[in-house]
Short mmCIF file of all heavy atoms in Angstrom, two decimals:
data_model
loop_
_atom_site.label_atom_id
_atom_site.label_comp_id
_atom_site.label_asym_id
_atom_site.label_seq_id
_atom_site.Cartn_x
_atom_site.Cartn_y
_atom_site.Cartn_z
N ASN A 1 18.14 124.74 35.06
CA ASN A 1 19.44 124.53 34.43
C ASN A 1 20.42 125.63 34.79
O ASN A 1 21.63 125.41 34.82
CB ASN A 1 19.26 124.48 32.91
CG ASN A 1 18.44 123.28 32.50
OD1 ASN A 1 18.92 122.16 32.46
ND2 ASN A 1 17.16 123.50 32.23
N VAL A 2 19.89 126.83 35.05
CA VAL A 2 20.77 127.94 35.42
C VAL A 2 21.23 127.77 36.86
O VAL A 2 22.40 127.98 37.20
CB VAL A 2 20.05 129.28 35.23
CG1 VAL A 2 20.95 130.42 35.71
CG2 VAL A 2 19.69 129.48 33.77
N ASN A 3 20.30 127.39 37.73
CA ASN A 3 20.60 127.34 39.15
C ASN A 3 21.06 125.96 39.63
O ASN A 3 21.63 125.82 40.72
CB ASN A 3 19.37 127.75 39.97
CG ASN A 3 18.95 129.17 39.66
OD1 ASN A 3 19.77 130.03 39.40
ND2 ASN A 3 17.64 129.42 39.69
N ASN A 4 20.76 124.90 38.83
CA ASN A 4 21.07 123.53 39.24
C ASN A 4 20.52 123.23 40.62
O ASN A 4 21.20 122.70 41.49
CB ASN A 4 22.59 123.27 39.22
CG ASN A 4 23.12 123.20 37.81
OD1 ASN A 4 22.46 122.66 36.93
ND2 ASN A 4 24.31 123.74 37.59
N SER A 5 19.26 123.62 40.83
CA SER A 5 18.65 123.46 42.14
C SER A 5 17.68 122.30 42.12
O SER A 5 16.76 122.27 41.33
CB SER A 5 17.92 124.75 42.54
OG SER A 5 17.14 124.53 43.69
N ALA A 6 17.88 121.35 43.01
CA ALA A 6 16.96 120.22 43.07
C ALA A 6 15.59 120.66 43.55
O ALA A 6 14.57 120.11 43.14
CB ALA A 6 17.52 119.16 44.03
N TYR A 7 15.57 121.70 44.39
CA TYR A 7 14.28 122.19 44.88
C TYR A 7 13.46 122.74 43.73
O TYR A 7 12.27 122.44 43.59
CB TYR A 7 14.50 123.26 45.94
CG TYR A 7 13.23 123.97 46.35
CD1 TYR A 7 12.32 123.37 47.21
CD2 TYR A 7 12.95 125.24 45.85
CE1 TYR A 7 11.16 124.02 47.56
CE2 TYR A 7 11.80 125.89 46.19
CZ TYR A 7 10.91 125.28 47.06
OH TYR A 7 9.77 125.93 47.40
N ASN A 8 14.07 123.57 42.91
CA ASN A 8 13.36 124.14 41.78
C ASN A 8 12.91 123.06 40.82
O ASN A 8 11.88 123.16 40.17
CB ASN A 8 14.23 125.16 41.02
CG ASN A 8 14.40 126.44 41.80
OD1 ASN A 8 13.61 126.73 42.69
ND2 ASN A 8 15.45 127.20 41.50
N CYS A 9 13.74 122.03 40.68
CA CYS A 9 13.37 120.95 39.77
C CYS A 9 12.11 120.23 40.25
O CYS A 9 11.27 119.83 39.47
CB CYS A 9 14.52 119.97 39.64
SG CYS A 9 14.43 118.95 38.16
N SER A 10 11.99 120.06 41.56
CA SER A 10 10.78 119.44 42.09
C SER A 10 9.57 120.32 41.85
O SER A 10 8.47 119.84 41.61
CB SER A 10 10.93 119.18 43.59
OG SER A 10 11.03 120.40 44.30
N GLN A 11 9.79 121.66 41.87
CA GLN A 11 8.68 122.56 41.56
C GLN A 11 8.26 122.42 40.11
O GLN A 11 7.09 122.57 39.77
CB GLN A 11 9.10 124.02 41.84
CG GLN A 11 9.33 124.34 43.30
CD GLN A 11 8.06 124.17 44.09
OE1 GLN A 11 6.99 124.59 43.66
NE2 GLN A 11 8.14 123.52 45.24
N THR A 12 9.23 122.13 39.25
CA THR A 12 8.90 121.93 37.83
C THR A 12 7.95 120.76 37.67
O THR A 12 6.99 120.82 36.91
CB THR A 12 10.19 121.64 37.03
OG1 THR A 12 11.07 122.73 37.22
CG2 THR A 12 9.89 121.45 35.55
N THR A 13 8.22 119.68 38.38
CA THR A 13 7.36 118.52 38.29
C THR A 13 5.95 118.86 38.72
O THR A 13 4.97 118.47 38.10
CB THR A 13 7.91 117.37 39.16
OG1 THR A 13 9.26 117.12 38.78
CG2 THR A 13 7.08 116.11 39.01
N ASN A 14 5.84 119.65 39.80
CA ASN A 14 4.52 120.03 40.28
C ASN A 14 3.80 120.92 39.30
O ASN A 14 2.59 120.86 39.16
CB ASN A 14 4.63 120.75 41.63
CG ASN A 14 5.13 119.82 42.71
OD1 ASN A 14 4.97 118.61 42.62
ND2 ASN A 14 5.76 120.40 43.74
N ASN A 15 4.52 121.78 38.63
CA ASN A 15 3.89 122.74 37.73
C ASN A 15 3.31 122.09 36.49
O ASN A 15 2.60 122.72 35.75
CB ASN A 15 4.90 123.83 37.29
CG ASN A 15 5.07 124.89 38.34
OD1 ASN A 15 4.18 125.09 39.15
ND2 ASN A 15 6.20 125.58 38.33
N HIS A 16 3.66 120.82 36.24
CA HIS A 16 3.10 120.17 35.07
C HIS A 16 1.67 119.75 35.29
O HIS A 16 0.98 119.40 34.35
CB HIS A 16 3.93 118.94 34.68
CG HIS A 16 5.19 119.31 33.97
ND1 HIS A 16 5.19 119.79 32.69
CD2 HIS A 16 6.49 119.27 34.37
CE1 HIS A 16 6.44 120.03 32.31
NE2 HIS A 16 7.24 119.73 33.31
N HIS A 17 1.23 119.74 36.54
CA HIS A 17 -0.15 119.37 36.81
C HIS A 17 -1.03 120.59 36.67
O HIS A 17 -0.72 121.64 37.20
CB HIS A 17 -0.29 118.80 38.23
CG HIS A 17 0.50 117.54 38.40
ND1 HIS A 17 0.11 116.33 37.86
CD2 HIS A 17 1.68 117.31 39.05
CE1 HIS A 17 1.00 115.39 38.18
NE2 HIS A 17 1.96 115.97 38.88
N PRO A 18 -2.17 120.49 35.97
CA PRO A 18 -3.04 121.64 35.80
C PRO A 18 -3.52 122.16 37.15
O PRO A 18 -3.93 121.39 38.01
CB PRO A 18 -4.22 121.08 34.96
CG PRO A 18 -3.68 119.81 34.34
CD PRO A 18 -2.68 119.28 35.29
N ALA A 19 -3.48 123.45 37.29
CA ALA A 19 -3.95 124.06 38.53
C ALA A 19 -5.46 124.10 38.55
O ALA A 19 -6.10 124.25 37.52
CB ALA A 19 -3.40 125.48 38.66
N PRO A 20 -6.07 123.96 39.69
CA PRO A 20 -7.51 124.10 39.76
C PRO A 20 -7.93 125.46 39.30
O PRO A 20 -7.22 126.44 39.47
CB PRO A 20 -7.81 123.88 41.27
CG PRO A 20 -6.62 123.13 41.79
CD PRO A 20 -5.46 123.60 40.98
N ALA A 21 -9.15 125.53 38.75
CA ALA A 21 -9.60 126.80 38.18
C ALA A 21 -9.65 127.89 39.23
O ALA A 21 -9.28 129.02 38.99
CB ALA A 21 -11.00 126.60 37.57
N ALA A 22 -10.13 127.56 40.43
CA ALA A 22 -10.26 128.60 41.44
C ALA A 22 -8.91 129.12 41.90
O ALA A 22 -8.77 130.26 42.28
CB ALA A 22 -11.04 128.06 42.64
N GLU A 23 -7.87 128.25 41.86
CA GLU A 23 -6.55 128.68 42.29
C GLU A 23 -5.79 129.37 41.18
O GLU A 23 -5.00 130.26 41.42
CB GLU A 23 -5.76 127.47 42.78
CG GLU A 23 -6.38 126.82 44.01
CD GLU A 23 -5.63 125.56 44.40
OE1 GLU A 23 -4.66 125.22 43.72
OE2 GLU A 23 -6.02 124.94 45.38
N ALA A 24 -6.04 128.97 39.93
CA ALA A 24 -5.30 129.55 38.82
C ALA A 24 -5.68 130.99 38.60
O ALA A 24 -4.90 131.77 38.11
CB ALA A 24 -5.56 128.74 37.54
N GLU A 25 -6.88 131.38 38.92
CA GLU A 25 -7.34 132.75 38.71
C GLU A 25 -7.92 133.30 39.99
O GLU A 25 -9.10 133.15 40.27
CB GLU A 25 -8.40 132.78 37.59
CG GLU A 25 -7.86 132.45 36.22
CD GLU A 25 -6.85 133.47 35.74
OE1 GLU A 25 -6.92 134.62 36.20
OE2 GLU A 25 -6.00 133.12 34.92
N PRO A 26 -7.10 133.93 40.83
CA PRO A 26 -7.62 134.45 42.10
C PRO A 26 -8.68 135.51 41.93
O PRO A 26 -9.40 135.83 42.84
CB PRO A 26 -6.35 135.04 42.77
CG PRO A 26 -5.20 134.36 42.10
CD PRO A 26 -5.65 134.10 40.71
N GLY A 27 -8.78 136.10 40.72
CA GLY A 27 -9.76 137.16 40.50
C GLY A 27 -11.19 136.67 40.59
O GLY A 27 -12.11 137.45 40.75
N TRP A 28 -11.37 135.34 40.43
CA TRP A 28 -12.71 134.80 40.53
C TRP A 28 -13.23 134.89 41.96
O TRP A 28 -12.53 134.60 42.90
CB TRP A 28 -12.72 133.33 40.13
CG TRP A 28 -12.79 133.11 38.66
CD1 TRP A 28 -11.80 132.69 37.84
CD2 TRP A 28 -13.92 133.29 37.83
NE1 TRP A 28 -12.23 132.61 36.56
CE2 TRP A 28 -13.53 132.96 36.53
CE3 TRP A 28 -15.24 133.71 38.06
CZ2 TRP A 28 -14.40 133.03 35.45
CZ3 TRP A 28 -16.11 133.78 36.99
CH2 TRP A 28 -15.69 133.45 35.71
N LYS A 29 -14.48 135.31 42.07
CA LYS A 29 -15.16 135.25 43.37
C LYS A 29 -16.18 134.13 43.29
O LYS A 29 -17.38 134.36 43.17
CB LYS A 29 -15.82 136.58 43.70
CG LYS A 29 -14.80 137.68 43.99
CD LYS A 29 -15.48 138.93 44.48
CE LYS A 29 -14.48 140.00 44.87
NZ LYS A 29 -15.11 141.24 45.34
N ALA A 30 -15.69 132.92 43.31
CA ALA A 30 -16.55 131.77 43.13
C ALA A 30 -17.18 131.38 44.46
O ALA A 30 -16.62 131.62 45.53
CB ALA A 30 -15.75 130.59 42.57
N PRO A 31 -18.35 130.76 44.42
CA PRO A 31 -18.94 130.23 45.66
C PRO A 31 -18.01 129.19 46.27
O PRO A 31 -17.17 128.61 45.59
CB PRO A 31 -20.25 129.59 45.16
CG PRO A 31 -20.54 130.26 43.85
CD PRO A 31 -19.22 130.59 43.25
N ALA A 32 -18.21 128.94 47.55
CA ALA A 32 -17.30 128.04 48.28
C ALA A 32 -17.28 126.66 47.66
O ALA A 32 -16.25 126.00 47.64
CB ALA A 32 -17.73 127.96 49.75
N LYS A 33 -18.39 126.22 47.12
CA LYS A 33 -18.42 124.86 46.59
C LYS A 33 -17.59 124.73 45.32
O LYS A 33 -17.32 123.62 44.87
CB LYS A 33 -19.87 124.45 46.29
CG LYS A 33 -20.53 125.32 45.20
CD LYS A 33 -21.94 124.87 44.95
CE LYS A 33 -22.63 125.70 43.87
NZ LYS A 33 -24.00 125.27 43.62
N HIS A 34 -17.17 125.87 44.72
CA HIS A 34 -16.35 125.81 43.52
C HIS A 34 -14.88 125.94 43.84
O HIS A 34 -14.07 125.98 42.94
CB HIS A 34 -16.75 126.92 42.55
CG HIS A 34 -18.11 126.75 41.99
ND1 HIS A 34 -18.44 125.72 41.14
CD2 HIS A 34 -19.25 127.49 42.14
CE1 HIS A 34 -19.71 125.82 40.78
NE2 HIS A 34 -20.22 126.88 41.37
N GLN A 35 -14.54 126.05 45.10
CA GLN A 35 -13.15 126.27 45.45
C GLN A 35 -12.52 124.98 45.96
O GLN A 35 -13.20 124.05 46.36
CB GLN A 35 -13.03 127.37 46.52
CG GLN A 35 -13.51 128.72 46.00
CD GLN A 35 -13.47 129.77 47.09
OE1 GLN A 35 -13.22 129.45 48.23
NE2 GLN A 35 -13.71 131.00 46.72
N GLY A 36 -11.17 125.00 45.96
CA GLY A 36 -10.46 123.88 46.56
C GLY A 36 -10.38 122.66 45.70
O GLY A 36 -10.60 121.56 46.16
N GLY A 37 -10.05 122.83 44.41
CA GLY A 37 -9.74 121.67 43.60
C GLY A 37 -10.68 121.42 42.45
O GLY A 37 -10.51 120.42 41.76
N LEU A 38 -11.66 122.24 42.18
CA LEU A 38 -12.55 122.03 41.05
C LEU A 38 -11.80 122.31 39.76
O LEU A 38 -11.12 123.31 39.63
CB LEU A 38 -13.76 122.95 41.14
CG LEU A 38 -14.73 122.87 39.94
CD1 LEU A 38 -15.35 121.50 39.88
CD2 LEU A 38 -15.78 123.95 40.04
N ARG A 39 -11.91 121.42 38.81
CA ARG A 39 -11.30 121.61 37.50
C ARG A 39 -12.39 121.60 36.45
O ARG A 39 -13.30 120.78 36.48
CB ARG A 39 -10.29 120.51 37.20
CG ARG A 39 -9.13 120.46 38.18
CD ARG A 39 -8.18 119.32 37.85
NE ARG A 39 -7.12 119.24 38.82
CZ ARG A 39 -6.17 118.32 38.78
NH1 ARG A 39 -6.16 117.42 37.84
NH2 ARG A 39 -5.23 118.31 39.72
N TRP A 40 -12.24 122.51 35.49
CA TRP A 40 -13.21 122.54 34.40
C TRP A 40 -12.94 121.34 33.49
O TRP A 40 -11.87 121.20 32.92
CB TRP A 40 -13.08 123.83 33.60
CG TRP A 40 -13.47 125.03 34.37
CD1 TRP A 40 -12.66 126.01 34.84
CD2 TRP A 40 -14.79 125.38 34.78
NE1 TRP A 40 -13.37 126.95 35.51
CE2 TRP A 40 -14.69 126.60 35.49
CE3 TRP A 40 -16.05 124.80 34.63
CZ2 TRP A 40 -15.80 127.24 36.03
CZ3 TRP A 40 -17.14 125.45 35.17
CH2 TRP A 40 -17.01 126.64 35.86
N ARG A 41 -13.90 120.50 33.32
CA ARG A 41 -13.75 119.36 32.44
C ARG A 41 -14.88 119.38 31.41
O ARG A 41 -16.00 119.78 31.70
CB ARG A 41 -13.81 118.04 33.21
CG ARG A 41 -12.65 117.87 34.18
CD ARG A 41 -12.71 116.51 34.83
NE ARG A 41 -11.65 116.34 35.80
CZ ARG A 41 -10.44 115.89 35.49
NH1 ARG A 41 -10.16 115.61 34.24
NH2 ARG A 41 -9.52 115.75 36.43
#
């Protein structure tokens, strides 16, 4: 609303989707099989 940027608005839509656990917390040193889209359910 401050910038009136369509680009930022598209980022808003993307941010509503939960991030995968491995991406949301880079501090994790998870095995490879837990990376790239695993979500805790």
